[in-house]
Amino acid sequence: MVPGIVAFTGKFFPHSFTLLRNVADIMDFFEPDYFIELLFSGLTKGAIYALIALGYTMVYGIIGLINFAHGEIYMIGAFTALIVSTVLSIYGFPLLAIFILAAVAAVVWASAYGYTIERLAYRPLRNAPRLSPLISAIGMSIFLQNYVLLAQTSDFQPFPALVPDFAFMEPVAHIVGSTDLVILVVSVIVMILLTVMIKFTRTGKAMRATAQDKKMALLVGINVDNVISITFITGSALAAIGGLLIASHVGQINFYIGFIAGIKAFTAAVLGGIGSIPGAVLGSFILGLTESFATGYVSSDYEDVFAFSLLVLILIFRPAGLLGKSTIEKV
Amino acid sequence: MLPLKDIRNGLMVAGWFVFLTFPLMVIKVNPVEKTIVWRWPNMLYVAAGSFIAYLYVKLAQKNKKAAILVACWTAYLALPLIRYFMYQDISILIWDTTTSIYAAVGAFHMILTLCLFHKHHILRKILSGIWLLFIGTPVVMLLAQAAGKILLPKIPAALHFLTPFIITIEHIQFWNWIRILWVALACYLLYSSLQTYLASKRNIMPDHLTNEPKIRWSQYLYKRPVYLPLLTFCSTFFLLFPHLFSTYQVNIMISALMYVVLGLGLNIVVGVAGLLDLGYVAFYAVGAYSYALLNMHFDLGFWVVLPIGGILGAFFGILLGIPVLRLRGDYLAIVTLGFGEIIRLVLENWNDFSQGPSGISNIDRPPLPGVDLSLEGSIVYMYYLTIVMVIFTIFVVNRLQDSRIGRAWFALREDEIACQAMGIDKMKTKLTAFALGATWAGMVGVLFAAKTTFVNPASFTFLESAIILCIVVLGGMGSIVGVIISALVLILMPEYLRAFSDYRMLVFGAVLVIMMVFKPRGLISSVRRTYTINDETL
Amino acid sequence: MEPLLNVQKLTMDFGGIRAIDRLDVQVHAGQIVALIGPNGAGKTTFFNCITGIYKPTAGHILLQPPGKKQKRLNGLKPNKVTEQGLARTFQNIRLFPNMTVLENVMIGMHCRTNAKIFGAIFRNPQTRKEEQYIVDHSYSILKKVRLQTFANEYAKNLPYGAQRRLEIARALATDPFMLLLDEPAAGMNPQETLELDNLITQIRDEGLAILLIEHDMKLVMSISDYIFVVDYGKKIAEGTPEEIAQNPAVIKAYLGEDVEHA
């Protein structure tokens, strides 16, 4: 297996796949193939982070809440996809149909969970002190993890490869896998769709207005509750797509994958300037590439350390993140 | 009763939850062997559960009293079942059936009194006394049985006449039913006198003056006649604790008390100074590892390392604080979270320094000069050490909050710009809060290492930080009493839920959400001190 | 005589917008000086520059504390400015809402006292004495603004006018020699404004210099010793109230074309 990908899986299952580098590996450093491989591994990782980070940043932008349960939505999306695809494959559906139906199911159910969580755990707390919804979110995160643990299993479940090895990828397959390509393409399409939605549709405009000033949005006749629900649904759908893609890439999931991925994605969102959608994407790609190159050229043990150190460094020099605006408080 | 509309909505909610949980609850696949298990009964449970929960919430919104009533009913009727599932012991089930009959009769009386009679009607008073008698009795019986079970082996046989309900004759225990009646009567008298007292208080204010701001129940805690007896009771309880309960219980209580200290420490940072710190556990790890390492390499004792751990905690607090404290709220949160993870990952991967994931074992327990302690003895000693630590922390935190610096912290939480305009150095004040909070984490870390005699990075995950933060917020930001109560509740609850082993973290998460939704300001809101000024001298 | 506050050619840019343009302002000891101008003229920005909340783009802010060396305030942190003896209030009230009225004033004395953590924990006699002094002195300031009956109320529960007076009390607690008041009469009824008028004069008579921003022309004209008029960040006039009232440029820019309605 290609080292970059091993490092990548190692990120999600810290002790199972870590590749200890030795002196011989140093020879790989200067090979262009290895570089490109790391580049693509980083881009793939960044794309997945971006799909999750967008949900964080949208929710934060609109209600100022760090939605700790967002990583769990991503995990539920992956699980739904696993269940649906297994059931369908038992009934003998073709691979493409399985992929599409699993994706649809993941999106539908993850959105439903996102919506329900907002209604149950956050909406009653809209006017509460700032930290109360945060605690509620942490509680929700713990609840959902254990819910999946109890309803399904605590073991790692193998996830079927939903993406076939494309014939046209054959010549470069040792550097870039077909799944990487699908992840990149799908996430870029999804991000473009999201941008179009936010920039040009009525709902998107309402979202932006609500993010700027909730009271004023209410006064000009925007149903703020609906807008917030839609934000959660959109964010959850993106996370579900991310969950599906990463699961079929890594090949196994368990109830805990949401937590670390969620934290990383949140880091990426903050890195780019939380609340800013291009910022989340930029932050995610920077984070993904940093992790990929750092693990490839330095050590895979300290992958997360690199990620968080990068965050600390960037925030020290740009306290509002890369693309975030440092607002001057009106006195 | 509930209108038809609510029932229809309830059905819709149930339908939604059935849909929501369908793939995860009903289907269970085995991707390797390609088999599916359909668990249809789960669907029914979800539907019934969500329907009932919805109706209950609706009821609670309409009529609080009725909701409490229903909760009582359910609790009492479900009690034997729960106990049966917990212990799988049929004898307990039989015993509890009698208590639930009592409870049912009591609940019936309660409905009668609530529905039929005017507030001040004499019959209502008598009837409410009776229902208390019926409902109170099983409660007292339960408590007595629990106490009896724990106490009996500890108390010399000669003193058994003091235990209220159980008579032991040659190792066979009998229930002393007469005494139960006495207790019930005492309950009734207490209740009626309390009611008379409350009624007399109510009548002082004419109706048109009573729409003053409602005093929260928690504020009664600050009244002298309330807190003095409570304080006496609590301190006696905690002092006698290791002699009343088993070593296992004492161990649990030690960790709960450690979380009290951690909560109070983080309370300085989050509750008082308003700095959201999600990586508090990092300083805890610093303390624990400093004791583990110093003990391993240099054979330094507990008492030497305790202050060192605190100082190292403060040092790391300042180290992290200087660059990051100028960040705004949530940016600070994620950076501290990142810092916490960095510390944990370094400990996990830097094998030469920290022995990696396997951790450091055989750390010395705290020695008691001149005494050779047994394992049990050292746990009891540890317990008292922790108690001393708790008292010390409460003392210091309380004094800090009431000082010039404490006021500056509170002010900083309220309004940073106004604070600076008042001549308060923002960075310095934040840094003191951050460093002081870290000091406590460092010291508790040392205590933790000494208690478990083993540390590894797995004890210092983000979940720990999250739980400590939950303690602070749930307790009511900035309130010392609140933090203590919530630490005890949050740490002891999962321990005592071990009977439900798998479900305990599920319940824990749900409780956090429910508590926040219904009490977003925490259990006990902090009350500012009032100053009495003798106007004449000025 | 050297002015207490001497602002020379102060300029403040936000991005491409020049909020203050080479503004000169002087405040002498024992004076009430008013800074007036239409909304958005840059008055509050001017305050923010002086008190260190914004860092001015260019110019000099020179402070001459009585009996001390002259000090340049540019680039100083807000708390350092306050330590120099320059206290301010805010246009949109910024009290500490969940602290008591007395505590709000006690916070003001923070920079004039110095109990440290050690003192806080052990409460040595010195700390206790200082604490007692803080309480007593704060209370006497509250009496001065007639808020003593509210001492143990939460600041957020005070009526609007009282909150404004509390801001002044809090600023006075920092022991300043000069007070900057940002629209102290905003939202007050005539009776409250009259009381405020008396309060400000009283503070002046106790030897403090006052620089105030105000829209209530009646108040400004009755208490000011000297007035600066600002529009679009530029000074368009200065002088005594009588001179300003006659100044055609002021009437045009500030009071509007129609003099009769002013």
Side-chain angles (χ1 to χ4, degrees), chain B residues 351-368:
Chain B
N351 288 320
D352 303 335
F353 175 72
S354 65
Q355 303 191 359
S358 55
I360 300 170
S361 47
N362 285 328
I363 305 167
D364 289 343
R365 290 176 188 279
L368 185 61

Side-chain angles (χ1 to χ4, degrees), chain A residues 14-15 60 64 66 68 76 79-80 82-84 86-87 89-91 108-109 112-113 115-116 120-121 124-125 127-136 138-140 142-144 146-153 157-158 160 259-260 263 266-267 270 273-274 301-302 304-305 308-309 311-312 315-321 324-325 327 329-331, chain B residues 16-32 34-36 38-39 42 270 274-276 278 320 323-324 326-335 337-339 341-342 344-346 348-351 357 415 417 461-463 466-467 469-470 473-474 477 502-503 505-510 512-513 516-522:
Chain A
H15 299 296
Y60 188 90
I66 305 175
F68 267 105
I76 284 176
F79 257 97
T80 312
L82 170 77
I83 290 165
V84 171
T86 314
V87 170
S89 74
I90 287 172
Y91 288 115
V108 166
W109 263 287
Y113 272 94
Y115 171 76
T116 313
L120 287 182
L125 289 171
N127 297 319
R130 197 170 59 93
L131 282 183
S132 306
L134 188 76
I135 299 301
S136 186
I138 292 175
M140 212 20 139
I142 296 174
F143 178 85
L144 288 177
N146 286 280
Y147 158 67
V148 173
L149 167 84
L150 293 169
Q152 292 290 317
T153 169
Q157 292 276 40
F259 176 72
I260 187 81
I263 291 214
F266 181 57
T267 306
V270 174
I274 193 151
D301 290 346
Y302 289 98
D304 294 353
V305 177
F308 290 122
S309 310
L311 173 82
V312 174
L315 285 190
I316 286 170
F317 293 108
R318 282 196 63 94
K325 286 196 188 75
T327 45
E329 198 178 348
K330 189 134 171 61
V331 182
Chain B
W16 173 254
F17 274 94
V18 165
F19 161 74
L20 195 65
T21 53
F22 177 74
L24 284 165
M25 290 291 281
V26 176
I27 312 171
K28 185 167 174 146
V29 291
N30 188 331
V32 185
K34 300 270 178 198
T35 52
I36 316 172
W38 298 89
R39 298 169 296 179
N42 280 354
V270 181
L275 307 166
L276 182 49
L278 288 180
L320 174 68
V324 307
R326 61 201 188 92
L327 297 174
R328 278 191 300 122
D330 295 313
Y331 288 88
L332 181 69
I334 186 71
V335 171
L337 191 157
F339 177 73
E341 288 292 294
I342 290 176
R344 186 178 63 81
L345 290 164
V346 167
E348 209 158 80
N349 291 306
W350 192 2
N351 288 320
D415 190 330
I417 287 178
T461 55
F462 168 69
L463 188 68
I467 288 176
L469 184 70
C470 292
V473 179
L474 199 66
M477 307 256 290
D502 298 338
Y503 293 91
M505 286 316 276
L506 188 83
V507 174
F508 181 77
L512 281 185
V513 176
M516 277 299 118
V517 170
F518 289 102
K519 272 199 150 325
R521 275 163 208 286

Side-chain angles (χ1 to χ4, degrees), chain B residues 449-488:
Chain B
K451 180 210 162 208
T452 51
T453 70
F454 168 71
V455 290
N456 73 344
S459 315
F460 309 106
T461 55
F462 168 69
L463 188 68
E464 294 294 308
S465 291
I467 288 176
I468 304 170
L469 184 70
C470 292
I471 288 173
V472 174
V473 179
L474 199 66
M477 307 256 290
S479 148
I480 294 179
V481 184
V483 168
I484 295 172
I485 294 177
S486 75
L488 291 176

Side-chain angles (χ1 to χ4, degrees), chain A residues 1-13 17-19 21 34 37-38 40-42 44-45 173-180 249-250 292 295 303:
Chain A
M1 206 178 177
V2 253
I5 303 222
V6 173
F8 185 35
T9 40
K11 196 217 89 50
F12 287 95
F13 317 111
F17 282 90
T18 24
L19 189 78
R21 311 218 141 264
Y34 186 56
E37 189 188 306
L38 289 180
F40 268 90
S41 149
T44 323
K45 205 186 277 193
H174 63 291
I175 308 174
V176 186
S178 301
T179 322
D180 292 57
H249 181 106
V250 175
S292 172
T295 44
E303 184 181 16

Side-chain angles (χ1 to χ4, degrees), chain B residues 5 9 19 34 81 100 178-179 195 262 486 515 537:
Chain B
K5 197 179 120 230
N9 285 347
F19 161 74
K34 300 270 178 198
L81 285 175
S100 48
I178 304 290
R179 282 196 185 145
Q195 251 212 344
L262 284 174
S486 75
M515 283 299 288
T537 59

Side-chain angles (χ1 to χ4, degrees), chain C residues 10-34:
Chain C
L10 189 77
T11 305
M12 179 75 208
D13 293 340
F14 290 112
I17 300 157
R18 180 150 289 193
I20 302 175
D21 192 2
R22 281 162 297 163
L23 198 60
D24 293 318
V25 170
Q26 290 83 32
V27 182
H28 289 271
Q31 271 191 342
I32 296 177
V33 177

